[in-house]
Amino acid sequence: MRSIAFPGKFSSLDDIRDFYTEAAKEADLDKKSIYDVQLAVDEAASNIIDHAYEGEGKGEIECSYQVSPGKLEVVMRDQGKAFNPKTVKRPNLKANLNNRKQGGLGLHFMRSLMDSVEFTFSEKGGNVLRMVKTNKEPEKRSEQRTERQE
Amino acid sequence: MEIKHELLKRCVLFTVEGRIDSSTAPDLQQKMNGIIDQGNFKVVVDLRGVDFISSAGLWVLVNAQKKCKRFNRGEVVLSGVSQRVHDALNLAGFIPYFNIHDDTAKAVGSF
């Protein structure tokens, strides 16, 4: 497991996406899954800056991960305001153009792109976001791995 | 991210390259608004060179569409939309808001 604390600024997004791209490659995720991870972590970090810290340069985003073959677990921590996903309105995806209101799309993207998304908050630890992405064909891949080991 | 624009006979063509995220989206929004506010309500955005777009970038396109559609025959048309960009537009429910052409010449010709 690797861990890096990035400044809570939008200019960190490139580095955060690159950090998790390497992690996704390490987990042997397929190309589409790697892109899904890039988009999900970008949305997550943007939300942390916008909502937990309520602006840029207010704190750090601590990024870490764990990998196993075909599986990546992303962990992102911040010390900002408690985030409760239940307070975020689900976007109305079928609204007419003029009735579409900005907001809620980041969380919708994260939930759609990752296999699981979980938020916890504690006074001491701040916000902790865990997201898991697995390959669509994990069994096949782990079989290949076993064969190679033999 | 790089943004170029070209004033054509019937529309304005924006060519965007690179990554559109929360860091670069405000720049795109500002540049597009600057040109649209000069009375250019017929817009083509060529996204061929865009390899990443987040919801922040998608909102720039939707906000520009809202702005242009307020005017007679005003519209933002997209071209060169990669599978990744298309998937993101689809996930956001934004596909119905745009005419999308594979070819930029055809997008320009649609005006």
Side-chain angles (χ1 to χ4, degrees):
Chain A
M1 192 183 95
R2 283 180 65 212
S3 177
I4 298 184
F6 294 95
K9 294 178 176 178
F10 293 127
S11 55
S12 298
L13 291 175
D14 263 348
D15 292 336
I16 292 173
R17 286 195 303 264
D18 288 349
F19 176 73
Y20 283 115
T21 300
E22 289 310 309
K25 284 180 184 167
E26 202 182 313
D28 206 14
L29 295 188
D30 56 76
K31 255 187 168 179
K32 170 78 169 68
S33 298
I34 293 172
Y35 188 72
D36 289 349
V37 167
Q38 288 173 346
L39 190 46
V41 300
D42 179 285
E43 299 289 348
S46 298
N47 272 356
I48 289 170
I49 297 166
D50 277 332
H51 304 299
Y53 287 129
E54 298 180 307
E56 292 187 272
K58 307 276 178 64
E60 292 181 327
I61 304 172
E62 192 196 318
C63 297
S64 59
Y65 64 86
Q66 279 189 313
V67 294
S68 51
K71 182 181 173 184
L72 170 70
E73 184 184 0
V74 166
V75 180
M76 298 170 92
R77 298 169 196 268
D78 67 77
Q79 299 296 328
K81 223 175 71 176
F83 177 70
N84 180 356
K86 285 178 186 159
T87 61
V88 179
K89 267 193 175 177
R90 285 181 188 268
N92 181 0
L93 302 179
K94 294 195 171 151
N96 291 329
L97 175 66
N98 286 322
N99 295 328
R100 268 308 283 268
K101 300 221 165 61
Q102 210 154 337
L105 213 48
L107 190 56
H108 166 67
F109 271 28
M110 288 152 65
R111 283 182 171 139
S112 305
L113 298 166
M114 303 296 276
D115 297 338
S116 69
V117 177
E118 182 196 303
F119 295 91
T120 51
F121 175 81
S122 67
E123 288 297 333
K124 203 178 164 194
N127 290 301
V128 181
L129 164 64
R130 284 173 205 281
M131 301 192 286
V132 174
K133 184 74 178 176
T134 49
N135 262 339
K136 293 295 165 257
E137 302 171 48
E139 284 166 28
K140 199 175 157 194
R141 281 172 184 264
S142 62
E143 272 169 27
Q144 285 171 348
R145 214 161 269 273
T146 316
E147 277 168 24
R148 253 184 259 139
Q149 281 168 357
E150 284 167 4
Chain B
M1 183 193 64
E2 276 188 45
I3 313 158
K4 286 181 203 151
H5 79 274
E6 203 178 335
L7 291 169
L8 304 175
K9 208 172 177 184
R10 292 198 179 90
C11 65
V12 57
L13 168 65
F14 286 93
T15 308
V16 190
E17 283 181 13
R19 300 166 165 190
I20 316 176
D21 59 14
S22 296
S23 173
T24 57
D27 189 25
L28 179 62
Q29 175 129 340
Q30 197 190 1
K31 290 210 168 117
M32 286 187 74
N33 280 349
I35 303 295
I36 293 168
D37 289 341
Q38 286 169 17
N40 302 292
F41 309 121
K42 294 175 184 177
V43 175
V44 174
V45 186
D46 181 348
L47 296 168
R48 186 151 318 156
V50 172
D51 45 26
F52 179 89
I53 189 162
S54 71
S55 64
L58 296 175
W59 276 114
V60 173
L61 301 176
V62 169
N63 288 333
Q65 184 69 296
K66 282 184 178 181
K67 206 183 222 309
C68 290
K69 287 238 171 169
R70 272 189 237 135
F71 298 90
N72 189 28
R73 294 189 185 174
E75 186 181 354
V76 174
V77 173
L78 306 180
S79 75
V81 174
S82 67
Q83 189 61 48
R84 284 175 173 184
V85 174
H86 195 276
D87 286 349
L89 282 163
N90 189 39
L91 198 54
F94 288 169
I95 295 286
Y97 306 155
F98 294 98
N99 279 313
I100 300 174
H101 294 268
D102 293 337
D103 191 54
T104 302
K106 276 187 189 157
V108 169
S110 72
F111 285 106

